[in-house]
Structure formats: structure tokens, C-alpha cells
Amino acid sequence: MPRLLGVDIPNNRPTVISLTYLYGVGPSIARELCLKAGIDPTTKAKNLRENEVATLAALLDNDYTVEGQLRRQVNQNIARLREIACYRGMRHRKGLPVRGQRTRTNARTRKGPKKTVAGKKGVKDLR
């Protein structure tokens, strides 16, 4: 199993698909990497030679922000928004959707499971 930037990429998939397992590498960047490295995108990852893997690692390291460095950059951007207390930072802080989605219904991914509030319906007095 080839290892790029500390991540094991799957053996039995084409190289162009295997590269997308890296954080920050999507289909278009994976195709671009294969083109720059001179690797056939349909070659299975297990058939890559040592020098081809080294070429891919060097290209990723020099030309792209991926994996740990990209995760750190995203977290720093979110921390900056929180620190300056802008609207988006406050939404991050409260754990609510940041990009304008509705929250009256839906938004369960950000808000978590439903918290039922007792006594919401009008309770009739028994007299």
C-alpha cells in the first residue's frame, strides 16, 4: 500500500482515484498530479514504482497545500473568525450553520439530535 504524506492510499484503485483519499486533493488536482508526474491515471496504485511515488510526494509537498498543513490553515481561519467575533465566527462558536441555511427545521448535522422541550403544547386545566 503506497504511503503519501502519512496517508495510506488504497492499492486496488486507479491512481487518480487513490490520490483523492488525501485531504485537499480532489478529482481535478489528482488528474493534474498524474499528468505532471507522467503517470497513467488508470494504473493501479499497487503497481506504482518507488520513484513515481517519490515524484508524487515531491509535487504534493512543493506545489499544493494538503493534509496537515491545510487542516491547520482551515482551523486558523476559523479561529480568526471566532476571535474577531464576526457573524460567521459567532455561528461557529454556537455550533450553528454558518452559510445562511435555515435553522427552524433541518440543521441537525450542526445542532445535533433533537432536544424535545416538555410543555410546548397547551396543557388543559382539569377543573
Side-chain angles (χ1 to χ4, degrees):
M1 193 173 271
R3 194 164 175 82
L4 282 172
L5 305 175
V7 176
D8 291 329
I9 59 173
N11 273 333
N12 55 346
R13 295 186 181 265
T15 305
V16 74
I17 303 297
S18 294
L19 288 172
T20 62
Y21 280 68
L22 296 168
Y23 184 77
V25 177
S28 61
I29 290 179
R31 279 192 299 275
E32 197 175 302
L33 277 167
C34 287
L35 188 71
K36 284 183 180 178
I39 299 170
D40 180 29
T42 58
T43 306
K44 300 276 186 191
K46 64 183 171 189
N47 296 334
L48 290 175
R49 293 188 295 272
E50 296 281 330
N51 62 342
E52 292 173 334
V53 173
T55 305
L56 284 171
L59 280 170
L60 283 166
D61 203 29
N62 296 333
D63 299 343
Y64 300 96
T65 306
V66 290
E67 277 304 319
Q69 188 179 0
L70 181 59
R71 290 180 203 272
R72 205 171 309 109
Q73 188 176 350
V74 169
N75 285 332
Q76 285 173 349
N77 290 340
I78 292 171
R80 180 182 54 81
L81 290 171
R82 285 180 175 182
E83 189 179 310
I84 64 174
C86 66
Y87 181 77
R88 282 173 54 203
M90 298 308 292
R91 302 295 281 184
H92 274 292
R93 203 178 276 170
K94 291 177 182 177
L96 293 169
V98 177
R99 297 184 179 180
Q101 297 91 334
R102 68 179 291 138
T103 56
R104 182 172 180 172
T105 59
N106 303 331
R108 284 288 134 217
T109 303
R110 287 292 297 200
K111 292 169 77 174
K114 279 187 181 177
K115 301 171 215 76
T116 306
V117 179
K120 193 86 171 176
K121 290 185 177 178
V123 178
K124 295 180 181 177
D125 291 315
L126 298 173
R127 286 188 186 173

